[in-house]
Amino acid sequence: MRAVDIIARKRDGHTLTPAEIEFMVDGTVAGSVPDYQTAAWLMAIYLRGMRPEETAVLTERMRVSGDVFDLGSVPGIKVDKHSTGGVGDKVSLALAPLVAAAGVPVPMVSGRGLGHSGGTLDKLEAIPGFDVFRTEAEFRRQVAEVGCAIIGQTDNFVPADKRLYALRDVVACVESIPLITASIMSKKLASGADALVMDVKSGNGAFMKTDGDAAALAESLIATGRAMGKPVVALLTDMNQPLGRAIGNALETAEAIECLRGGGPADLREITLMLGAEMLVLGEKAKSPEEARATLTRLLDGGQALEKFRQMVRHQGGDPRVADDPGLMAKAPQVTVLRASTAGYVSRLDTAEIGRASNILGAGREKSADAVDHRVGLVMRVRLGDQVAEGDELLEIHHREGDGTLERCQAVLLPAIVIGDARPGVSPLIHRRM
Ligand code: URA
């Protein structure tokens, strides 16, 4: 078999055989297929697409390209959640302990910030001592003993995705549904989950800007799960404004703790309950989403979910007292308030730009080697559709002093918050269930 022939067949719109896909994945990881041929192959897939059966073969070959976590010894149906990424999305921090408190084991292998969107691992590392580097054995033990663990990828975790993603990033092939599907599903299924709930974000702060694109990605994720014998439920959720109020690592972790204490912003609580209800049904701990929701509401308001969070933090070396006192996390030295320069309605929030503004403060990375400042970020004081008077608070900027980041952040924020004369239509939080 030759890579050039496989590239040509995909270029010409043919369906690749499993052997051809496996040849390209294995060759890319081993180095026997050079990067320029892999890159050409990725572009051919980007332009020609893949049939669902090709995507399933690609996913499976990527899944087994490195460490595959075996959680067979952990009793129960293991259910994980994946979000396609957005701004202010701290759901995993509250959801994993909440669902574990209801008796469904949650094995989560999470990522770091990507582009304008934040990463769960960076948020957890705002907790003093919290360690996301765990071996497979430690991960398995924690999922069995506590019911949930949120860790980073081990060095040899789905190496095919590391290689393919790095190439996609530099040859403009990220936004391809089969490639995104295989990237997400190979990692989620290598982490030992039996079933998955997908939070597919749709809107101006998401990868998928329209419901049509988000639904196409959700369909592809569901079909690939089905081909691999793993049930997948997807919720299409709104990302036309940040989720909750806080953006930035320690600020978001504190907000997730508020949610675990039964409070927090209404949209964060709602989405946590909606996703959690699907997870309980898949984990066979509830017969219907309604029954699941009643259970989860009790666990959030009764303190059991918070106790599970405390246990998870303690197991991963963090200071469990943050569950009772989020003030133990480091704070930014300065807070500056951004105010409305005119009266009207908050008619548009450019969510991706708001995420980028937070990253400029130091909450995210410009290059993968950059360090993250856990203290900095934004706290929204308005939501889409709110009426404001001139001088009203729009948001808080938590920042460092004297390094120019405040000024650069403000320059990005000003055009990202549009105040208009008419009250805008606001999309619902949950667009669709699939
Ligand atoms: N997230 C992933 O893990 N992979 C993609 O390709 C896109 C988003």
Side-chain angles (χ1 to χ4, degrees):
M1 218 176 273
R2 297 189 318 156
V4 62
D5 301 325
I6 300 170
I7 297 165
R9 277 178 30 77
K10 186 40 79 182
R11 179 201 63 196
D12 295 340
H14 296 291
T15 301
L16 298 181
T17 65
E20 287 172 324
I21 295 169
E22 289 163 9
F23 177 89
M24 290 304 290
V25 173
D26 295 357
T28 301
V29 175
S32 54
V33 173
D35 284 354
Y36 52 83
Q37 285 188 308
T38 305
W41 182 59
L42 291 170
M43 184 56 86
I45 295 172
Y46 180 96
L47 295 171
R48 289 297 196 167
M50 275 186 145
R51 289 177 171 276
E53 57 273 24
E54 292 176 282
T55 308
V57 171
L58 176 62
T59 304
E60 175 59 11
R61 202 58 170 190
M62 288 169 67
R63 183 183 78 89
V64 298
S65 64
D67 298 343
V68 177
F69 295 173
D70 180 1
L71 301 183
S73 62
V74 180
I77 301 171
K78 275 72 67 184
V79 187
D80 194 2
K81 184 272 308 187
H82 179 80
S83 159
T84 58
V87 177
D89 184 357
K90 69 282 292 173
V91 168
S92 293
L93 277 66
L95 184 66
L98 170 61
V99 170
V104 176
V106 183
M108 250 187 208
V109 178
S110 290
R112 299 201 177 271
L114 189 69
H116 66 271
S117 70
T120 298
L121 301 181
D122 298 326
K123 294 169 203 187
L124 284 167
E125 284 177 344
I127 299 171
F130 197 99
D131 186 4
V132 299
F133 299 103
R134 284 290 186 259
T135 63
E136 181 193 348
E138 288 166 335
F139 180 62
R140 191 185 311 116
R141 199 174 322 121
Q142 186 176 326
V143 175
E145 287 174 14
V146 177
C148 60
I150 307 180
I151 67 163
Q153 298 179 10
T154 53
D155 285 344
N156 191 38
F157 191 77
V158 195
D161 183 60
K162 292 201 178 93
R163 203 61 231 122
L164 292 174
Y165 196 93
L167 288 171
R168 284 166 60 203
D169 205 19
V170 292
V171 297
C173 288
V174 169
E175 303 87 349
S176 148
I177 284 180
L179 295 177
I180 295 175
T181 301
S183 169
I184 291 174
M185 294 295 281
S186 59
K187 289 179 291 199
K188 283 288 145 185
L189 297 178
S191 68
D194 300 313
L196 292 170
V197 174
M198 291 287 163
D199 182 1
V200 182
K201 301 284 184 200
S202 166
N204 66 15
F207 256 115
M208 300 290 152
K209 306 292 179 214
T210 65
D211 276 2
D213 287 346
L217 176 58
E219 257 164 31
S220 174
L221 292 164
I222 292 166
T224 303
R226 191 181 302 123
M228 299 178 75
K230 308 284 179 186
V232 177
V233 171
L235 295 185
L236 266 54
T237 71
D238 193 59
M239 194 33 74
N240 286 302
Q241 58 184 324
L243 182 62
R245 288 186 286 264
I247 304 155
N249 301 296
L251 294 167
E252 289 194 45
T253 300
E255 193 169 84
I257 293 171
E258 262 185 72
C259 177
L260 284 163
R261 301 177 70 81
D267 59 340
L268 174 62
R269 179 178 165 99
E270 178 61 19
I271 214 162
T272 303
L273 287 171
M274 293 291 285
L275 293 165
E278 299 291 350
M279 292 172 78
L280 253 57
V281 173
L282 285 171
E284 296 182 3
K285 292 289 178 193
K287 292 203 175 52
S288 67
E290 294 71 31
E291 179 194 329
R293 192 181 167 104
T295 303
L296 294 172
T297 303
R298 211 171 354 95
L299 296 170
L300 263 189
D301 296 338
Q304 293 92 332
L306 185 68
E307 173 53 22
K308 199 50 87 181
F309 176 78
R310 239 184 240 116
Q311 290 171 18
M312 176 178 81
V313 171
R314 193 180 299 117
H315 256 75
Q316 294 191 234
D319 185 344
R321 294 175 306 160
V322 293
D324 306 292
D325 182 7
L328 289 169
M329 290 183 284
K331 290 184 195 62
Q334 280 293 335
V335 179
T336 296
V337 173
L338 188 76
R339 294 180 184 279
S341 58
T342 167
Y345 293 94
V346 179
S347 57
R348 184 170 194 276
L349 294 171
D350 188 333
T351 313
E353 283 297 278
I354 293 172
R356 196 163 76 81
S358 171
N359 285 353
I360 288 171
L361 296 172
R365 298 176 182 77
E366 280 173 27
K367 300 184 296 304
S368 60
D370 289 349
V372 154
D373 186 339
H374 295 105
R375 305 168 303 168
V376 299
L378 308 170
V379 179
M380 303 297 296
R381 288 279 166 237
V382 289
R383 297 189 56 77
L384 269 182
D386 284 356
Q387 192 170 17
V388 293
E390 186 183 331
D392 278 359
E393 287 188 13
L394 296 178
L395 54 78
E396 293 170 9
I397 307 175
H398 294 236
H399 60 96
R400 301 189 288 243
E401 286 172 299
D403 64 354
T405 52
L406 172 65
E407 293 72 19
R408 286 173 53 218
C409 168
Q410 281 171 323
V412 171
L413 279 176
L414 285 173
I417 303 175
V418 180
I419 298 179
D421 292 336
R423 189 187 291 274
V426 179
S427 13
L429 183 61
I430 313 288
H431 293 195
R432 195 171 155 193
R433 176 184 185 277
M434 295 173 70

